[in-house]
Amino acid sequence: MKHPDGAYWLKTRRLTFALLFVWIVVTFGASWFARELNEFSLFGFPLGFYMGAQGVIFIYLLIIWFYNRQMRRLEREFGIDDE
Amino acid sequence: MTRLQRYYLSYTGGFLLFIGVLAVLEQHGMPPRWIGYAFLFFTIFLYAAIGIMSRTSDVSEYYVAGRRVPAFFNGMATGADWMSAASFMGLAGTLYLSGHQGLAFVIGWTGGFVLVALLLAPYLRRFGEYTIPDFLGARYGGNAIRLVAVGAAILASFVYVVAQIYGVGVITSRFVSLQFEIGVFLGLAGILVCSFLGGMKAVTWTQVAQYVILIIAYITPVAILSYNVTGNPVPQLVYGQVLQEVTRLEHRLFNTPAEIEVRNLYRERADLYAQKIMQLPQSLTLEREKFSAEINRLKASDAQMKDIVAVERLRRDLPHDPDQARSQWENAMFSAVDRSKMPTHHAEAFPGENDAEQMAMRLNFMALIFCLTIGTAALPHILMRYYTTPTVRQARESVFWSLLFILLLYITAPAYAVFAKFEVFSHLAEIPLTKLPGWVAAWSKVGLVSIEDINGDGILQLAELSMNPDVIVLATPEIAGMPYVVSGLVAAGALAAALSTADGLLLTITGALSHDVYYRIVRPDASTQLRLVISKSLLLVVAVLAATVAAQKPGTIVSMVAWAFSIAGSAFFPALVLGIFWKGATRIGALAGMVLGTLLTLYYIVRVEFNEIPWLGISNLHMEPWLYIQSTSAGVFGVVAGFITIILVSLLTPSGDSASAFLKGIRRTEQRSGR
């Protein structure tokens, strides 16, 4: 079973869209419900404020780190070497 | 450790030593003015030295730094490229003034890098040409799309570069008391020494150096302030407690009888102005007659000459005609209305008196995040940086480093705001006017802080104090009682932030003109030497043009920068992303989407923001915003319209054949599976 776009691209695309979905949920979820999240607190901050000021940004960093790790694995798997 | 890392490590050590030496000299009586000069000239000299060392006459080095910039350093350079004078000076102030609502900038300006990492950077690098219009031109084919892209890149970048040069003028005039115009042209020199000789190569290595300076300068004052207040020098960890303290102070201070009285006085003043505006033009005549009668009365009662002169001056300062009166009084009315409102609590999300107001705040918050995110992922001067890494893998990794280096500043800015608020609430509010700390007087002189004792009780109420947003970062060294050398450091940091961004933007503009227009369209047979000559001359022209505009002190510069994000986002983002991820996107679809998206954004900004354009003879433009969305978030409509247009038109038009070969290349679809 061969897809015309090749397995590498299909896997890249699946990973990209999955992480994009996480990004959308985190960004707009935490922002939309900031008022409700403020009921809780973390490290002395109201949670909604904390997410906007630090939490969301650390998750962004994590998303990029995870993407890079998975892409390195994919490239090894398919022997892709973009020099 | 690589050779480069050793270089920059010793550079950082050298800079810290330089600060130490100045601190010692200050102890021995070196005047502040000289410290300001030392920082200004030493740092500009440094950038010039790096620029001269990296001079080049190679096209690839000039446009993309020879594609030899390691991920880590490209991340640093992107950080400096990205963080502008607005991030450095304005962000903390915005957070101070608008509390939680200001966090939209922090989220939007960082979230964009996730989009860059996932959707753009690896593909731009794999494509491996020189500019963003290059990429669109290759994907969709034809010169039309290249020209539209060039136009949008210049429109978004030029406004932005003017703002940076303007920022340089402000910094130099404040810290070393140079004349504003001289400061602007000094900044121009600082920008040209890097970019003119060495293009992207020189700009990259200067930006790395500038990042080091700007991050040290940003974190030092607030770390010391944090240590003074909490005993912990890591402000990002401890400002949660300070925020709680601020909230307690807010509950107490907002409702004292004096505070309420002051707010009522401002409301009365606002009503008075509203009445006067309603009764124009009679009210203006009445006002003038009132002063004349007063002068006659004083003259008759042989009062002091200086009292008469004072009233005469008041009469002279009255607006000359009803139109001028209307605009002056409207400003006065709006500022009084602002001060008459109950202030918002810093940590409260979407404050508002009723559900509708809260919903408007919430929608605007989301819209602003959306626009800033998409704009971040579409600004050509940032995307260009991902052409400069040696490999695709390093391009991906450098987005990680970019975000890490940018995050250091963006998680510090909210701490700045909270610490400054704590200082104001605990050391300024309810203090007799004669006993205010020295920094208030110092910054009042420059006009960034103003105090009006409207109820005449000789005590400062919060509503009587107004602060310019820039003052938060600039005055923190003095608030924390630090020596002048720290203020000088902050000025050097702000300068680095402005210069580094200006460098990147200038290269984008000249790249678009010389590479995309001249080389790709006008004369594809031009020799490499000629291309560089053209590029360097254009750089000079654009830079001088930007400095000339900045020297005019255009008033709306801050909002113009916010608009640049919406413009860049709606012009580039849909066409780039669909171009990579959807085979079916066609040339006509992309063209239609880019043009329509940009036009819709511009249309919305103009209709919401302006009522008339005198030089075009248009009036009565103003319209009610859609869904309460402010003009700074105009991109919400432009980006969505861009996506829809590209998809619809593409479905109706035949796709070209260039696309599939192009996509095979950047997606690497023709891989042998396995090894």
Side-chain angles (χ1 to χ4, degrees), chain B residues 132-322:
Chain B
I132 301 304
D134 255 347
F135 188 89
L136 290 169
R139 164 64 176 85
Y140 295 109
N143 282 338
I145 195 135
R146 197 185 278 275
L147 280 175
V148 172
V150 165
I154 292 175
L155 185 66
S157 305
F158 190 76
V159 189
Y160 216 154
V161 83
V162 171
Q164 303 311 315
I165 300 182
Y166 180 82
V168 173
V170 172
I171 297 157
T172 47
S173 60
R174 251 177 236 161
F175 279 89
V176 286
S177 16
L178 286 175
Q179 207 186 322
F180 179 82
E181 287 76 13
I182 297 178
V184 162
F185 282 90
L186 191 81
L188 178 70
I191 294 162
L192 284 179
V193 286
C194 315
S195 42
F196 185 71
L197 290 174
M200 189 59 131
K201 185 183 171 199
V203 167
T204 302
W205 300 119
T206 325
Q207 281 173 339
V208 175
Q210 283 161 332
Y211 177 79
V212 172
I213 293 182
L214 84 86
I215 204 68
I216 293 176
Y218 201 76
I219 293 179
T220 306
V222 70
I224 299 177
L225 185 58
S226 166
Y227 182 75
N228 287 352
V229 173
T230 65
N232 184 330
V234 187
Q236 298 89 342
L237 289 179
V238 293
Y239 78 94
Q241 270 98 38
V242 183
L243 181 61
Q244 287 178 1
E245 192 57 38
V246 165
T247 310
R248 260 195 296 280
L249 286 167
E250 280 170 343
H251 281 296
R252 189 172 67 75
L253 287 171
F254 287 175
N255 296 310
T256 59
E259 231 21 272
I260 294 171
E261 182 201 354
V262 166
R263 287 203 295 267
N264 285 336
L265 286 172
Y266 277 113
R267 188 163 308 122
E268 283 166 22
R269 175 183 290 181
D271 291 343
L272 194 71
Y273 275 115
Q275 235 172 33
K276 281 205 229 169
I277 294 170
M278 292 263 283
Q279 290 161 357
L280 272 172
Q282 292 93 321
S283 54
L284 184 62
T285 331
L286 219 65
E287 199 87 344
R288 198 169 285 131
E289 281 165 5
K290 203 179 77 193
F291 281 125
S292 304
E294 175 76 8
I295 291 168
N296 289 337
R297 193 185 60 78
L298 284 173
K299 275 183 181 158
S301 69
D302 66 26
Q304 292 267 333
M305 196 57 206
K306 72 172 198 294
D307 293 341
I308 299 176
V309 172
V311 182
E312 273 177 341
R313 176 168 306 137
L314 282 178
R315 187 176 60 175
R316 203 168 47 238
D317 288 347
L318 276 177
H320 298 298
D321 55 71

Side-chain angles (χ1 to χ4, degrees), chain B residues 457-479:
Chain B
D457 63 353
I459 290 174
L460 180 72
Q461 274 81 37
L462 284 177
E464 294 176 340
L465 170 78
S466 77
M467 290 164 86
N468 181 306
D470 289 353
V471 90
I472 304 292
V473 169
L474 298 177
T476 298
E478 288 155 79
I479 294 178

Side-chain angles (χ1 to χ4, degrees), chain A residues 5-6 8-9 12-13 16-17 19-20 23 27-28 31-36 38 43-46 48-49 52-54 56-58 60-61 63-65 67-68 71-72 75-83, chain B residues 100 103 106-107 110-111 113-115 117-119 122-123 126 236 239-240 243-244 347-350 358-359 362 365-366 369 373 391-393 396-397 400 403-404 407 411 581 583 667-669 671-672 674-675:
Chain A
D5 279 345
Y8 170 71
W9 172 247
T12 307
R13 200 172 59 182
T16 306
F17 289 153
L19 288 176
L20 201 63
W23 176 83
T27 305
F28 294 101
S31 306
W32 183 263
F33 294 109
R35 210 179 159 80
E36 289 73 16
N38 271 346
F43 308 133
F45 293 90
F49 187 92
Q54 293 183 1
V56 169
I57 307 166
F58 290 133
Y60 291 160
L61 206 60
I63 293 178
I64 298 181
W65 171 82
Y67 173 73
N68 288 348
M71 286 309 289
R72 276 202 302 275
E75 285 183 352
R76 215 174 308 134
E77 184 186 332
F78 287 90
I80 286 178
D81 189 16
D82 280 301
E83 289 302 326
Chain B
H100 179 275
L103 290 178
V106 178
I107 300 173
T110 52
F113 283 89
V114 177
L115 297 183
L118 297 180
L119 304 178
Y123 306 103
R126 198 171 275 151
Q236 298 89 342
Y239 78 94
L243 181 61
Q244 287 178 1
E348 189 184 350
F350 320 125
Q358 287 183 8
M359 190 45 93
R362 195 180 289 224
F365 191 75
M366 307 300 280
I369 290 178
T373 317
T391 62
V392 176
R393 182 174 152 181
R396 279 196 301 263
E397 273 155 19
F400 174 84
L403 182 59
L404 184 77
L407 166 159
I411 63 172
F581 286 88
K583 222 178 242 171
R667 292 173 172 182
R668 296 297 294 259
T669 46
Q671 276 306 312
R672 19 183 217 288
R675 202 160 281 246

Side-chain angles (χ1 to χ4, degrees), chain B residues 374-670:
Chain B
I374 305 282
T376 302
L379 280 173
H381 72 288
I382 294 300
L383 295 180
M384 240 170 66
R385 290 231 52 96
Y386 297 103
Y387 281 127
T388 64
T389 57
T391 62
V392 176
R393 182 174 152 181
Q394 295 225 31
R396 279 196 301 263
E397 273 155 19
S398 83
V399 191
F400 174 84
W401 290 115
S402 308
L403 182 59
L404 184 77
F405 289 126
I406 287 167
L407 166 159
L408 285 180
L409 188 140
Y410 283 163
I411 63 172
T412 314
Y416 253 106
V418 168
F419 277 105
K421 218 162 207 170
F422 177 73
E423 282 295 320
V424 167
F425 285 1
S426 53
H427 293 138
L428 246 54
E430 301 187 321
I431 301 285
L433 291 179
T434 47
K435 291 196 176 146
L436 290 175
W439 64 268
V440 177
W443 289 95
S444 304
K445 259 184 234 147
V446 202
L448 290 183
V449 175
S450 74
I451 285 172
E452 181 193 12
D453 189 16
I454 193 171
N455 60 351
D457 63 353
I459 290 174
L460 180 72
Q461 274 81 37
L462 284 177
E464 294 176 340
L465 170 78
S466 77
M467 290 164 86
N468 181 306
D470 289 353
V471 90
I472 304 292
V473 169
L474 298 177
T476 298
E478 288 155 79
I479 294 178
M482 290 171 237
Y484 190 80
V485 71
V486 182
S487 299
L489 176 65
V490 169
L495 195 68
L499 290 181
S500 56
T501 306
D503 277 333
L505 289 162
L506 215 50
L507 275 189
T508 304
I509 299 175
T510 45
L513 288 173
S514 66
H515 178 80
D516 289 303
V517 177
Y518 182 77
Y519 172 62
R520 294 283 184 185
I521 298 177
V522 181
R523 281 195 57 186
D525 57 337
S527 69
T528 51
Q529 211 175 3
L530 185 65
R531 282 161 68 190
L532 278 188
V533 170
I534 295 283
S535 185
K536 287 182 179 181
S537 350
L538 277 170
L539 187 83
L540 216 56
V541 173
V542 175
V544 172
L545 204 66
T548 317
V549 177
Q552 310 295 318
K553 303 193 184 181
T556 49
I557 197 77
V558 179
S559 14
M560 282 162 83
V561 170
W563 298 336
F565 279 82
S566 284
I567 294 169
S570 33
F572 290 112
F573 192 74
L576 283 173
V577 170
L578 287 176
I580 295 167
F581 286 88
W582 187 40
K583 222 178 242 171
T586 65
R587 177 195 308 173
I588 301 178
L591 257 178
M594 287 177 77
V595 172
L596 211 78
T598 317
L599 287 182
L600 181 65
T601 301
L602 290 173
Y603 170 85
Y604 190 78
I605 292 173
V606 171
R607 288 285 309 266
V608 171
E609 205 61 29
F610 301 100
N611 192 33
E612 51 195 5
I613 307 175
W615 50 276
L616 283 178
I618 302 174
S619 61
N620 271 334
L621 264 176
H622 189 76
M623 69 169 184
E624 280 307 305
W626 306 336
L627 298 169
Y628 320 108
I629 303 286
Q630 291 159 2
S631 75
T632 37
S633 309
V636 168
F637 306 112
V639 173
V640 173
F643 270 113
I644 295 175
T645 314
I646 296 183
I647 293 173
L648 286 184
V649 177
S650 294
L651 289 175
L652 296 174
T653 48
S655 58
D657 31 306
S658 67
S660 97
F662 175 84
L663 285 179
K664 268 191 186 128
I666 62 161
R667 292 173 172 182
R668 296 297 294 259
T669 46
E670 282 183 336

